[in-house]
Amino acid sequence: MDVGGTVDVVDVPEEWKVVSSAERFSGRVITVVTDAVLMPDGEVASRDYALHPGSVAVLALDDQDRVLMLRQYRHAVRRLLWELPAGLRDVEDEPLQAAAARELAEEAGYRARTWHTLVDAFTSPGMTGERTRIFLARDLSLIPEGELDFVRRHEESDMPVAWIPLSDAVRRALAGMIHNSQAVAGILAAYAASADAFASLRPADAPEA
């Protein structure tokens, strides 16, 4: 149905009636459930999805307009992916900016003085409730080695770092050379926001809708 230009294109909360719900799997990060959902036409349909704590990511941009990217193995897709520093919202009551700053420090060894909210997204709403906030971090400085008090393990134990010009990162995303959804969304959003020198971005503590 074509609604033309008469509808305000803004996502809004909505919740259809769940007739029943069954847990199928519970793991370290996700829980998979099946809901029987009452459809508008009166039918009941099963919907499988993963409950997820949510995530944050950081597009760190240096004074040469280069993006900090990390390469990490992702077993589900059997690939080494170039990504932004990112992580789970797994610390209770931790502000999202603080979580993002922690990930930037732990995964890349940098801190930032200037933070903005870059973009909010649902990573894959057809199968998971995971929501992510991607921040823009600028005015970067390297954290002295002696101040780093964490140990990288598993996939994070060997993550090469690359600094890529923002315009080149855009080209690579559009050419299908960068696939991580947070990276693609962050790169394209940063490029769009750079048109007004990031003046239109929301503050780092902007509420999530």
Side-chain angles (χ1 to χ4, degrees), residues 31-52:
T31 298
V32 178
V33 299
T34 300
D35 284 352
V37 184
L38 182 63
M39 298 288 139
D41 61 4
E43 289 192 37
V44 174
S46 294
R47 295 291 179 261
D48 304 321
Y49 61 98
L51 300 174
H52 189 283

Side-chain angles (χ1 to χ4, degrees), residues 1 20 32 42 50 68 70 75 80 87 95 119 142 156 167 169 180 190:
M1 180 177 63
S20 64
V32 178
L68 186 155
L70 310 167
H75 187 69
L80 289 167
V119 68
L142 192 62
E156 296 181 351
S167 58
N180 176 273

Side-chain angles (χ1 to χ4, degrees), residues 60-63 110-115 137-142:
L61 195 66
D62 71 4
D63 56 8
Y110 280 84
R111 60 169 60 100
R113 290 201 314 271
T114 304
W115 290 85
R138 293 179 294 156
D139 299 318
L140 306 172
S141 60
L142 192 62

Side-chain angles (χ1 to χ4, degrees), residues 59-68 110 140 162-166:
L59 188 134
L61 195 66
D62 71 4
D63 56 8
Q64 299 178 56
D65 286 335
R66 298 181 304 172
V67 179
L68 186 155
Y110 280 84
L140 306 172
W163 289 94
I164 304 173
L166 179 58

Side-chain angles (χ1 to χ4, degrees), residues 25 38 46 56-57 61 63 79 88 90-91 108 125 131 140 151 155 161 165 169 172 182:
F25 167 81
L38 182 63
S46 294
V56 293
L61 195 66
D63 56 8
R79 294 195 184 202
L88 299 173
D90 55 1
V91 177
R131 64 189 306 165
L140 306 172
V151 177
E155 291 92 343
V161 174
R172 290 171 181 271
Q182 291 173 321

Side-chain angles (χ1 to χ4, degrees), residues 5 9 25-26 37 46 51 54 68 71-72 75 81 89 96 101 120 142 162 174 186 197 201:
V9 183
F25 167 81
S26 183
V37 184
S46 294
L51 300 174
L68 186 155
R71 194 183 70 185
Q72 184 168 352
H75 187 69
L81 299 183
R89 304 181 186 186
L96 297 183
D120 293 325
L142 192 62
L174 296 179
L201 290 181

